[in-house]
Amino acid sequence: MKAAVLTSVSANIAELARLTIANKADYCLRHGYSLIAENLPYQEAVVSQHRVAHLLESYDVIWTLDADTVITDLDRPFHELPCLGPHVTVCEEGIIEWNKINCGSVIWKNTFRTRWLLNGITANPEIWARMPGGWQFWLALLAKELGDLVTIAPLRSFNSCEWTHPNGQEGTPGSHWQSGDLVYHPCGVFPPEERLRRVRQKLATLT
């Protein structure tokens, strides 16, 4: 099994990335995975899913993780998770009712259908760019239409979210993360300084 963890970084999140890249490197070294850190501005990274399709030519499976994620169970190999479907697997988000999934943590298996989907995201921004949440919202719609192409894993399977501002708005803070979860993801924590503080705090519990 040839597997990789892929994350996107940029100068805008350099302080955060320095912390979380080290965490992902530790995880990859434990399990014999490759670690790929692509340095791309956010606006470019979000429309560059074809790059993942290209990388899949060299790997059996790739786990894409946002830079603000922390792997909190370093001993569990992602490619053996029992929740994985045959092609693409994402997790329920569970923050706001209308947003079914969160694509800050996605596992992509090297299949023709997976690569078709990745290339389709890049090729069709006019379809998803104006949707709330962008292509992850589109992916949730496709999950209903395309059978087993997109598997939606239960909450907390490999993406446990935390938020202070649901959907970037004022609202009730919360967190799904629990001790023993694979990934801590403060995707809805604002401002960025508070997100950085919480990432530091979570990393400190792993040492």
Side-chain angles (χ1 to χ4, degrees):
M1 172 64 64
K2 193 173 181 183
V5 172
L6 170 64
T7 190
S8 180
V9 300
S10 70
N12 287 338
I13 55 169
E15 190 172 5
L16 176 69
R18 288 187 188 99
L19 297 172
T20 59
I21 286 290
N23 165 255
K24 293 173 176 66
D26 186 0
Y27 179 76
C28 288
L29 288 167
R30 292 186 188 210
H31 299 287
Y33 301 146
S34 296
L35 175 61
I36 305 165
E38 286 199 315
N39 196 325
L40 294 172
Y42 174 79
Q43 293 79 3
E44 183 179 348
V46 77
V47 297
S48 297
Q49 299 310 305
H50 65 289
R51 301 167 80 93
V52 184
H54 177 70
L55 287 167
L56 278 171
E57 296 176 8
S58 302
Y59 294 96
D60 299 304
V61 59
I62 291 176
W63 185 12
T64 55
L65 279 169
D66 281 358
D68 61 350
T69 55
V70 176
I71 300 172
T72 47
D73 184 351
L74 294 166
D75 294 323
R76 198 185 330 172
F78 80 84
H79 75 276
E80 295 180 356
L81 292 173
C83 63
L84 297 184
H87 304 286
V88 182
T89 308
V90 297
C91 290
E92 294 178 322
E93 182 181 79
I95 298 178
I96 51 178
E97 185 175 350
W98 57 261
N99 197 45
K100 177 70 172 174
I101 62 176
N102 182 285
C103 288
S105 177
V106 187
I107 296 175
W108 313 83
K109 290 186 177 179
N110 182 7
T111 69
F112 173 82
R113 295 184 73 197
T114 297
R115 295 190 302 275
W116 171 84
L117 176 59
L118 285 161
N119 287 319
I121 293 170
T122 299
N124 294 283
E126 71 282 358
I127 296 177
W128 53 260
R130 295 187 179 181
M131 290 181 176
W135 63 261
Q136 75 175 15
F137 189 85
W138 187 39
L139 203 62
L141 296 177
L142 291 177
K144 299 177 182 179
E145 301 175 3
L146 298 178
D148 64 359
L149 174 57
V150 180
T151 299
I152 300 179
L155 201 71
R156 299 176 42 234
S157 295
F158 56 95
N159 192 14
S160 300
C161 297
E162 184 170 69
W163 63 95
T164 56
H165 294 68
N167 194 34
Q169 308 296 321
E170 293 296 332
T172 304
S175 178
H176 295 310
W177 187 86
Q178 297 178 28
S179 179
D181 283 0
L182 183 55
V183 172
Y184 166 71
H185 187 195
C187 55
V189 173
F190 297 97
E193 295 79 12
E194 176 61 16
R195 187 181 306 183
L196 182 63
R197 186 191 70 80
R198 294 189 187 202
V199 165
R200 281 202 183 100
Q201 186 178 54
K202 190 64 67 181
L203 286 167
T205 69
L206 305 180
T207 57

